[in-house]
């Protein structure tokens, strides 16, 4: 029986997922990120202190718990990969070379309400750069370029990265005279869910804002630009604060770097806040063009205080691709397909069971040369064996004989072939993912 929020892809979907992961992994490594995998559980006190996620954390508990075991009630499954990564950095700081660039592709768990593209168990692919003491800002400008590169090589809709800087928001709120900037951020972050009118009311009720202050917060959140013009738009609102100036300068660097290296990829969107409390500067959210109604499929930001040991800080910036979320949305809209339902490129036909060893030798010769091959399951009539291949989308059937022949069952073309030399066209070697 299916369990809501715990997806199980069928093999064709899993093949698509694997190809997506291959692309993401190879791109991350092109940019010099090293692989890492951390444990699935973290101390509960760590998980519930990192943002509004305590109600979503899954506890880890044994069925036959020992009442004297102190740790049975204090472990939870991680809800993201950034918090465990920060813990790993602190614990292993003496063994790491800084700045430390890592990628991590793992399952995470959140007990939220399942819906299309949102799951309780899902796969994330993260990159982070962490340094000891101070982390230069240019890493913030690099992050969108890596994500854009990783996803642009896939047959998915084009992405648009919305970027903001919490210093802009916090400096602006402070300049307005609003003291509880964290509460204002959390409230403004709900704009897309509840709309500006209800956000304004919530700011008045929960953050102590006047009507004028609430309206000013909404004016800031309405600013959007693909170039540096957002700076003038903010200035026209007439609010001054040193932190605001710092944030505008940083945000301008991210936008201008993207405009130079990947035009059209990034837009400054001053309503973006991100719900997790540990972000301190740049924040990113990514949408699939044409699928904006499903929200962000990839997000991240700068965190200066998440990882610390004594007086030593390890500031970082990271970005996470919600692989399951992105694919779940696309699968739900039938926006991705794969050319065949199995990896097999060649089916070796079986004339009779006595010839199975010969057929296995042919299959082995093809596999040694990187051609995915299987031997027919039984010595049925050749018509049925061809039908078996056709149902699975296997493009070629190999007929042992004197000489051997191989048939493209789509076109009907059949030619003599040698297992030590024959090659299929490159487009047939592996299943091909395409849009729609």
């Amino acid at each position: 029986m299916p369990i809501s929020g715990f997806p199980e892809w069928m093999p064709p979907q899993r093949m698509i997922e694997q190809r997506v992961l291959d692309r993401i992994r190879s791109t991350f490594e092109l940019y010099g990120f090293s692989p890492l995998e951390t444990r699935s559980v973290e101390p509960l006190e760590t998980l519930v202190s990192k943002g509004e996620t305590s109600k979503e954390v899954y506890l880890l508990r044994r069925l036959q718990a020992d009442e004297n075991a102190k740790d049975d009630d204090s472990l939870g499954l991680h809800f993201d990969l950034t918090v465990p990564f920060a813990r790993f950095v602190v614990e292993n700081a003496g063994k790491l070379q800084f700045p430390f660039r890592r990628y991590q592709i793992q399952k995470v768990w959140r007990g939220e309400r399942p819906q299309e593209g949102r799951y309780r168990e899902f796969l994330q692919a993260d990159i982070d750069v962490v340094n000891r003491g101070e982390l230069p800002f240019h890493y913030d400008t690099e992050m969108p370029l890596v994500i854009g590169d990783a996803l642009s090589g896939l047959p998915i809709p084009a992405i648009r990265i919305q970027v903001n800087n919490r210093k802009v928001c916090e400096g602006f709120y402070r300049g307005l005279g609003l003291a509880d900037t964290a509460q204002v951020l959390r409230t403004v972050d709900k704009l897309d869910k509840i709309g500006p009118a209800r956000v304004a009311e919530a700011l008045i009720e929960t953050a102590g804002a006047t009507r004028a202050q609430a309206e000013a917060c909404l004016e800031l959140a309405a600013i959007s630009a693909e170039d540096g013009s957002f700076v003038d738009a903010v200035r026209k609102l007439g609010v001054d604060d040193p932190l605001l100036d710092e944030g505008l300068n940083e945000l301008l660097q991210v936008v201008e770097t993207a405009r130079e290296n990947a035009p059209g990829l990034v837009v400054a969107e001053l309503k973006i806040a991100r719900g997790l409390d540990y972000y301190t500067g740049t924040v990113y959210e990514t949408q699939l063009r044409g699928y904006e109604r499903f929200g962000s499929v990839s997000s991240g930001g700068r965190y200066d205080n998440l990882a610390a040991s004594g007086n030593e800080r390890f500031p970082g910036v990271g970005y996470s691709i919600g692989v399951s979320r992105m694919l779940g949305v696309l699968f739900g809209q039938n926006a991705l397909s794969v050319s065949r339902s199995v990896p097999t490129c060649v089916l070796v036909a079986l004339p009779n069971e006595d010839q199975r060893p010969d057929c296995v030798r042919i299959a082995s010769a093809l596999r040694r040369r990187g051609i995915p091959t299987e031997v027919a399951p039984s010595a049925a009539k050749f018509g049925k064996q061809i039908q078996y291949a056709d149902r699975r989308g296997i493009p070629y059937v190999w007929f042992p004989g004197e000489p051997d022949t191989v048939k493209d069952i789509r076109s009907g073309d059949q030619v003599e072939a040698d297992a030590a030399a024959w090659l299929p066209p490159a487009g047939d070697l592996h299943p091909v993912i395409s849009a729609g």
Side-chain angles (χ1 to χ4, degrees):
M1 185 181 78
I3 302 177
S4 177
F6 293 82
E8 293 178 319
W9 306 136
M10 294 296 286
Q13 294 173 320
R14 177 62 173 156
M15 284 197 292
I16 292 173
E17 182 183 60
Q18 293 285 65
R19 294 298 162 84
V20 168
L21 293 176
D22 288 345
R23 169 70 188 187
I24 291 171
R25 185 184 300 108
S26 63
T27 304
F28 287 172
E29 293 189 356
L30 273 177
Y31 282 80
F33 292 89
S34 300
L36 180 68
E37 182 167 316
T38 57
R39 66 198 185 204
S40 297
V41 297
E42 295 294 331
L44 190 57
E45 62 181 7
T46 302
L47 295 173
V48 300
S49 67
K50 304 303 180 183
E52 295 186 313
T53 55
S54 57
K55 62 181 179 294
E56 299 176 357
V57 172
Y58 279 106
L59 292 177
L60 191 72
R61 187 173 292 140
R62 285 184 294 153
L63 181 62
Q64 301 292 339
D66 182 349
E67 59 186 43
N68 296 317
K70 295 179 181 179
D71 63 347
D72 272 4
D73 291 336
S74 60
L75 295 177
L77 294 170
H78 56 218
F79 60 81
D80 76 353
L81 299 179
T82 308
V83 171
F85 172 59
R87 186 265 312 157
F88 178 89
V89 168
V90 171
E91 289 182 2
N92 295 279
K95 305 171 189 173
L96 302 175
Q97 296 296 318
F98 292 98
F100 180 45
R101 299 164 70 87
R102 83 84 175 84
Y103 74 87
Q104 200 166 336
I105 302 175
Q106 279 182 252
K107 292 280 185 74
V108 300
W109 295 267
R110 289 183 194 173
E112 59 183 354
R113 184 171 65 86
Q115 51 189 293
E116 190 169 14
R118 283 199 178 275
Y119 306 109
R120 292 172 173 172
E121 177 185 68
F122 52 99
L123 192 65
Q124 287 191 181
D126 282 26
I127 48 169
D128 286 84
V129 183
V130 166
N131 203 24
R132 193 190 294 268
E134 298 293 333
L135 181 70
F137 186 77
H138 64 79
Y139 290 109
D140 293 49
T141 70
E142 180 189 28
M143 287 286 147
L145 303 181
V146 183
I147 299 301
D149 200 348
L151 297 182
S152 66
L154 295 168
I156 63 173
I159 64 166
R160 189 170 182 80
I161 295 177
Q162 300 174 321
V163 61
N164 194 9
N165 193 301
R166 280 199 169 181
K167 294 174 185 176
V168 172
C169 301
E170 292 180 28
F172 187 85
Y173 304 151
R174 210 164 64 179
L176 279 177
L178 292 168
D180 192 354
T181 57
Q183 179 59 41
V184 179
L185 269 173
R186 282 193 293 269
T187 307
V188 172
D189 194 42
K190 298 173 182 175
L191 254 174
D192 287 341
K193 293 180 181 176
I194 65 175
R198 290 175 63 189
V199 165
E201 295 303 322
L203 287 172
I204 293 167
E205 292 172 17
T206 65
T210 64
R211 177 69 59 182
Q213 287 171 327
E215 292 299 329
C217 292
L218 291 175
E219 285 186 72
L220 179 73
I223 294 172
S224 173
E226 293 186 12
D227 56 22
S229 62
F230 69 87
V231 176
D232 289 336
V234 175
R235 296 291 184 210
K236 285 178 182 175
L237 299 179
V239 175
D240 290 312
D241 185 87
L243 189 63
L244 172 62
D245 296 339
E246 186 180 330
L248 287 172
N249 178 56
E250 290 183 354
L251 185 55
L252 184 61
Q253 289 182 58
V254 175
V255 171
E256 291 300 332
T257 300
R259 266 171 60 82
E260 181 179 342
N261 294 278
L265 177 67
V266 166
V267 59
E269 195 74 61
L270 272 61
K271 67 180 178 182
I272 301 301
R274 304 289 300 123
L276 294 167
D277 291 342
Y278 54 67
Y279 291 121
T280 55
T282 310
V283 286
Y284 319 95
E285 288 198 354
T286 307
Q287 295 183 332
L288 295 173
R289 291 178 188 256
Y291 293 80
E292 289 83 0
R293 67 189 183 280
F294 293 103
S296 178
V297 297
S298 179
S299 56
R302 162 73 72 133
Y303 48 92
D304 284 329
N305 306 309
L306 183 59
S309 177
N311 294 324
E312 193 165 39
R313 289 189 319 144
F314 299 90
V317 61
Y319 216 126
S320 173
I321 300 173
V323 178
S324 301
R325 175 164 173 69
M326 179 178 71
L327 290 180
V329 166
L330 295 173
F331 289 158
Q333 302 298 306
N334 296 314
L336 284 177
S337 60
V338 65
S339 58
R340 56 185 187 255
S341 63
V342 294
T344 314
C345 175
V346 177
L347 177 76
V348 179
L350 184 65
N352 55 68
E353 279 298 332
D354 291 343
Q355 284 187 251
R356 185 173 288 278
D358 294 333
C359 294
V360 169
R361 278 192 288 274
I362 292 168
S364 297
L366 291 169
R367 291 179 193 132
R368 280 194 295 271
R369 298 173 49 247
I371 302 170
T373 306
E374 60 179 279
V375 177
S378 65
K381 292 180 179 179
F382 281 162
K384 286 195 172 181
Q385 296 188 46
I386 292 171
Q387 195 176 46
Y388 172 89
D390 186 47
R391 281 200 305 269
R392 286 155 183 77
I394 300 171
Y396 296 96
V397 176
W398 191 284
F399 296 98
E402 294 291 341
D404 289 358
T405 59
V406 64
K407 181 174 185 173
D408 182 338
I409 64 172
R410 299 160 300 182
S411 66
D413 294 340
Q414 187 165 341
V415 296
E416 292 184 10
D418 179 356
W422 178 84
L423 279 174
D428 289 337
L429 188 59
H430 299 291
V432 176
I433 302 169
S434 56

